[in-house]
Amino acid sequence: MELLCTDGLDILLENSRDYRTLDYLVSTCGLSRVQRARASLPGRTRPYVSNIAKALGVKIPDAVVITPREDGRRELAAIKQLLAEKLVVGSSAKRL
């Protein structure tokens, strides 16, 4: 989990979808409105991008939410690589 602290924003960004959503909010609503929405979150509400979108009354389009095919393929390839490395490490540890 990452906390974005640029331009007066303290927003929790956990993945590429959150970054795309924040970009969409800033491009459609403007940075100052996003900053005001962040500042107006009530009480102990966590500053997730989805909460800021709710505060702004904005519905995020599917085109923004759905991971682009190339990004998905890249993420799957990275997961496969990690699993393959764990299998190799696990099998060599058993031989010792």
Side-chain angles (χ1 to χ4, degrees):
M1 184 174 352
E2 183 179 334
L3 185 63
L4 183 67
C5 298
T6 59
D7 297 320
L9 297 175
D10 293 321
I11 298 175
L12 293 170
L13 301 170
E14 296 184 311
N15 51 44
S16 59
R17 181 189 320 173
D18 289 346
Y19 283 94
R20 289 191 309 270
T21 303
L22 179 59
D23 286 342
Y24 176 79
L25 290 175
V26 171
S27 68
T28 57
C29 298
L31 181 59
S32 61
R33 273 190 69 204
V34 173
Q35 288 171 324
R36 286 193 304 270
R38 166 57 183 102
S40 72
L41 290 177
R44 297 177 55 148
T45 303
R46 302 283 312 252
Y48 291 109
V49 178
S50 58
N51 288 335
I52 293 167
K54 288 176 193 170
L56 289 167
V58 174
K59 166 98 171 73
I60 307 299
D62 288 342
V64 173
V65 175
I66 295 171
T67 301
R69 189 175 303 268
E70 272 307 307
D71 291 351
R73 285 186 177 139
R74 203 172 17 260
E75 291 173 20
L76 282 174
I79 291 168
K80 287 179 182 179
Q81 180 65 35
L82 283 172
L83 290 173
E85 290 170 5
K86 287 186 180 238
L87 286 174
V88 169
V89 170
S91 64
S92 62
K94 289 179 182 177
R95 282 186 246 151
L96 298 176

